[in-house]
């Protein structure tokens, strides 16, 4: 499909050609490979087919009321124009998850407008707009050289860049550990930490310089300290 056509063009040109390619019958069939799943199985980063549009799930949460039934809240972003929407769905609701065509790349670097990736098979470089990163532009500082990402295509056009859900980083700078601070402390106080790649994240007071921490890349939040195995 589009991969063969791109191989004969410079990387940046090839990516732009993919974005302008006409819709093929095969691409339409690829787009229509929907899988119906229960709402409790939906996860961030998945693409839903709703009201004849494609939406990426940017946030997903479960809520349970007193005597009322449980429900789910979804924050969505329309893939083609970036429109945001919020949906509330009851437990037991089924939705259509779309299986888009996917290609794996290795992250190189990002500038003000584009994310630059390399194909590990052909070593061709490709560039994609930062606006299609599933986790949003706030995740850019957390991307690291050699990190594996996946680009998803609709009608042969790149519409979504999926980055890992979490990654481990070394703390390069943060305030000293507070006296008697420990992971079991109640009412944990948070402080700002600068990671090895320059990104900043809020961490508990017991985290020190040199510690390795696990960060949720979709939310850009501290998850835990990494443990030696």
């Amino acid at each position: 499909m589009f991969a063969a056509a791109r191989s004969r063009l410079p990387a940046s040109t090839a990516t732009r050609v993919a974005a302008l390619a006409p819709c093929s019958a095969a691409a339409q069939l690829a787009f229509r490979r929907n899988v119906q799943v229960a709402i409790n199985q939906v996860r961030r980063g998945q693409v839903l087919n709703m009201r004849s549009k494609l939406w990426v799930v940017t946030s997903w949460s479960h809520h349970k009321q007193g005597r009322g039934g449980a429900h789910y809240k979804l924050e969505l972003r329309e893939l083609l124009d970036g429109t945001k929407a919020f949906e509330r769905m009851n437990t037991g609701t089924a939705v259509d998850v779309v299986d888009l065509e996917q290609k794996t790349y290795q992250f190189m670097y990002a500038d003000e407008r584009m994310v630059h990736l390399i194909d590990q098979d052909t070593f061709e470089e490709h560039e994609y707009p930062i606006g299609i990163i599933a986790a949003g532009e706030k995740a850019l500082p957390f991307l690291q050289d050699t990190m594996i990402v996946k680009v998803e295509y609709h009608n042969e056009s790149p519409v979504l860049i999926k980055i890992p859900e979490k990654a481990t980083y070394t703390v390069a700078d943060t305030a000293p550990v507070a006296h008697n601070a420990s992971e079991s402390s109640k009412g944990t106080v948070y402080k700002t930490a600068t990671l090895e790649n320059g990104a900043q994240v809020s961490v508990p007071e017991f985290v020190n310089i040199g510690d390795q921490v696990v960060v949720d890349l979709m939310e850009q939040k501290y998850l835990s300290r990494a443990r030696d195995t």
Side-chain angles (χ1 to χ4, degrees), residues 13 48 89 95 140 150 154 164 166 227:
T13 303
L48 307 183
M89 299 183 181
V95 294
L140 273 177
K150 295 181 179 180
H154 172 225
K166 59 184 179 181
R227 300 298 186 184

Side-chain angles (χ1 to χ4, degrees), residues 16 110-116 127-133 137 140:
R16 295 191 184 100
D111 54 35
E112 295 181 354
R113 298 174 50 251
M114 310 295 285
V115 176
H116 299 262
E127 58 181 22
Y128 300 92
I130 61 176
I132 66 172
I133 299 176
E137 296 182 22
L140 273 177

Side-chain angles (χ1 to χ4, degrees), residues 136-148:
E137 296 182 22
K138 292 182 179 180
L140 273 177
F142 294 89
L143 299 184
Q144 301 188 105
D145 186 29
T146 74
M147 182 176 281
I148 301 301

Side-chain angles (χ1 to χ4, degrees), residues 116-171:
H116 299 262
L117 311 176
I118 187 169
D119 187 315
Q120 293 178 291
D121 296 324
T122 65
F123 300 105
E124 288 182 304
E125 296 182 16
H126 302 266
E127 58 181 22
Y128 300 92
I130 61 176
I132 66 172
I133 299 176
E137 296 182 22
K138 292 182 179 180
L140 273 177
F142 294 89
L143 299 184
Q144 301 188 105
D145 186 29
T146 74
M147 182 176 281
I148 301 301
V149 303
K150 295 181 179 180
V151 178
E152 294 193 340
Y153 298 83
H154 172 225
N155 292 347
E156 302 188 7
S157 297
V159 293
L160 191 65
I161 299 175
K162 288 187 174 181
I163 65 176
E165 290 190 2
K166 59 184 179 181
T168 301
Y169 306 88
T170 299
V171 176

Side-chain angles (χ1 to χ4, degrees), residues 37-225:
V37 302
I39 186 62
N40 65 323
Q41 296 179 333
V42 173
R43 295 295 180 264
R44 291 178 305 178
Q46 288 185 314
V47 177
L48 307 183
N49 183 7
M50 299 173 56
R51 298 185 292 275
S52 300
K53 291 186 176 182
L54 297 181
W55 304 83
V56 60
V57 180
T58 57
S59 180
W60 176 99
S61 58
H62 177 258
H63 301 268
K64 188 174 183 180
Q65 299 174 336
R67 295 184 178 182
H71 65 273
Y72 295 84
K73 288 184 178 179
L74 277 68
E75 182 176 341
L76 308 169
R77 177 171 59 82
E78 210 277 325
L79 280 184
L80 302 183
D81 63 18
T83 301
K84 292 185 178 180
F86 298 87
E87 293 285 340
R88 172 173 168 166
M89 299 183 181
N90 295 327
T91 301
T93 301
V95 294
D96 288 331
V97 175
V98 180
D99 180 20
L100 295 177
E101 187 172 4
Q102 191 176 86
K103 175 71 175 178
T104 300
Y105 296 96
Q106 181 176 295
F107 175 77
M108 295 178 64
Y109 66 95
D111 54 35
E112 295 181 354
R113 298 174 50 251
M114 310 295 285
V115 176
H116 299 262
L117 311 176
I118 187 169
D119 187 315
Q120 293 178 291
D121 296 324
T122 65
F123 300 105
E124 288 182 304
E125 296 182 16
H126 302 266
E127 58 181 22
Y128 300 92
I130 61 176
I132 66 172
I133 299 176
E137 296 182 22
K138 292 182 179 180
L140 273 177
F142 294 89
L143 299 184
Q144 301 188 105
D145 186 29
T146 74
M147 182 176 281
I148 301 301
V149 303
K150 295 181 179 180
V151 178
E152 294 193 340
Y153 298 83
H154 172 225
N155 292 347
E156 302 188 7
S157 297
V159 293
L160 191 65
I161 299 175
K162 288 187 174 181
I163 65 176
E165 290 190 2
K166 59 184 179 181
T168 301
Y169 306 88
T170 299
V171 176
D173 188 37
T174 190
V177 175
H179 182 62
N180 294 329
S182 67
E183 292 186 62
S184 60
S185 299
K186 295 182 178 180
T188 300
V189 175
Y190 280 76
K191 60 185 180 180
T192 299
T194 302
L195 307 179
E196 57 191 310
N197 59 354
Q200 292 188 324
V201 65
S202 294
V203 299
E205 57 186 341
F206 55 75
V207 172
N208 207 346
I209 295 175
D211 286 350
Q212 288 194 316
V213 295
V214 181
V215 177
D216 179 335
L217 297 186
M218 293 294 292
E219 299 289 340
Q220 299 88 53
K221 292 183 179 180
Y222 165 91
L223 290 178
S224 66
R225 281 201 297 195

